[in-house]
Amino acid sequence: NAGVMQNPRHLVRRRGQEARLRCSPMKGHSHVYWYRQLPEEGLKFMVYLQKENIIDESGMPKERFSAEFPKEGPSILRIQQVVRGDSAAYFCASSPTLDTEAFFGQGTRLTVV
Amino acid sequence: GQNIDQPTEMTATEGAIVQINCTYQTSGFNGLFWYQQHAGEAPTFLSYNVLDGLEEKGRFSSFLSRSKGYSYLLLKELQMKDSASYLCAISKDNAGNMLTFGGGTRLMVKP
């Protein structure tokens, strides 16, 4: 059973471009969580999704950021018109139910130049 | 709101015991997690406490006092590979894995 897979591991974007981060949860996991970790800071919750539904996006910036978890395929975190402040590690975690242990992926390190 | 405090850095000696403290204030509580994160890697689950008391798992133990808003992670027989950041996180009522993390404690184990 493969772990949570995130790709790409590293992503470089110029200011103003779009960044797409992918997360394939563990097999049998239908709950996906996205977190952001700024340099030298703790993890910050962004959004919680179940298949085809956004359950809680209270940690997501109101503009430029969106997330989806379609019926088929990985969850996608999309950042439009990236700015330097978006440079961070973005981690995805998945769990089989709401109250069971979540497993984290290796993260995508986004660098905006 | 929620607030979680833990020391920024700690240093300990190989073979020793170290205790990493975490204090929190929250309007709702559904459990406290400890994660280990090596530099550039994913956080790895260590422990989960929802009731007061001590949970032991091999060399690692975690303690929780809900009335005091306090937890600690105890690492025994330290090894060099234990050098990592240790993240304290809390879950609010019905929040499951929507966790609020502290800033993490960077532990350096020296020979």
Side-chain angles (χ1 to χ4, degrees):
Chain A
N1 188 5
V4 178
M5 304 299 292
Q6 290 189 250
N7 68 83
R9 290 291 306 277
H10 299 274
L11 182 62
V12 179
R13 283 286 176 267
R14 296 187 185 279
R15 279 178 296 171
Q17 290 185 319
E18 178 180 287
R20 277 180 179 251
L21 288 61
R22 294 174 187 77
C23 169
S24 296
M26 290 179 69
K27 188 177 180 181
H29 288 197
S30 59
H31 300 249
V32 166
Y33 315 83
W34 285 94
Y35 288 84
R36 177 165 65 175
Q37 189 172 35
L38 293 168
E40 305 300 321
E41 291 190 17
L43 287 150
K44 296 284 193 292
F45 167 77
M46 299 181 74
V47 61
Y48 162 40
L49 310 103
Q50 284 183 265
K51 281 289 186 182
E52 299 185 273
N53 291 305
I54 295 174
I55 307 302
D56 189 308
E57 56 182 348
S58 56
M60 197 95 109
K62 294 286 185 286
E63 297 177 351
R64 301 188 297 109
F65 285 71
S66 62
E68 62 177 12
F69 189 14
K71 189 176 180 181
E72 301 291 338
S75 175
I76 306 286
L77 180 68
R78 182 182 175 207
I79 311 172
Q80 294 178 291
Q81 300 172 335
V82 295
V83 300
R84 289 234 169 97
D86 296 333
S87 295
Y90 292 83
F91 288 96
C92 167
S94 74
S95 64
T97 65
L98 176 63
D99 290 323
T100 46
E101 174 193 341
F103 293 84
F104 281 82
Q106 295 288 320
T108 293
R109 275 145 191 88
L110 172 67
T111 303
V112 179
V113 297
Chain B
Q2 296 168 301
N3 190 39
I4 301 174
D5 289 308
Q6 50 182 134
T8 306
E9 289 184 351
M10 297 183 71
T11 302
T13 305
E14 191 176 15
I17 298 172
V18 70
Q19 177 174 313
I20 303 174
N21 295 324
C22 171
T23 58
Y24 64 89
Q25 296 90 40
T26 179
S27 55
F29 181 82
N30 193 37
L32 187 142
F33 295 75
W34 283 97
Y35 281 84
Q36 180 192 60
Q37 187 180 26
H38 285 97
E41 297 187 11
T44 305
F45 171 82
L46 290 177
S47 68
Y48 170 62
N49 294 68
V50 63
L51 299 175
D52 288 354
L54 188 68
E55 294 277 345
E56 296 187 77
K57 194 184 289 186
R59 294 190 299 116
F60 292 5
S61 303
S62 58
F63 172 83
L64 175 67
S65 168
R66 289 173 298 171
S67 62
K68 295 180 180 176
Y70 168 68
S71 173
Y72 67 73
L73 180 70
L74 194 71
L75 292 77
K76 302 176 188 174
E77 301 169 16
L78 280 173
Q79 302 175 8
M80 299 298 290
K81 67 178 182 179
D82 296 331
S83 293
S85 287
Y86 291 86
L87 315 178
C88 174
I90 59 175
S91 173
K92 289 177 65 175
D93 296 337
N94 302 316
N97 287 300
M98 291 183 289
L99 304 178
T100 299
F101 281 85
T105 299
R106 196 176 308 162
L107 174 66
M108 190 178 308
V109 179
K110 295 186 173 179

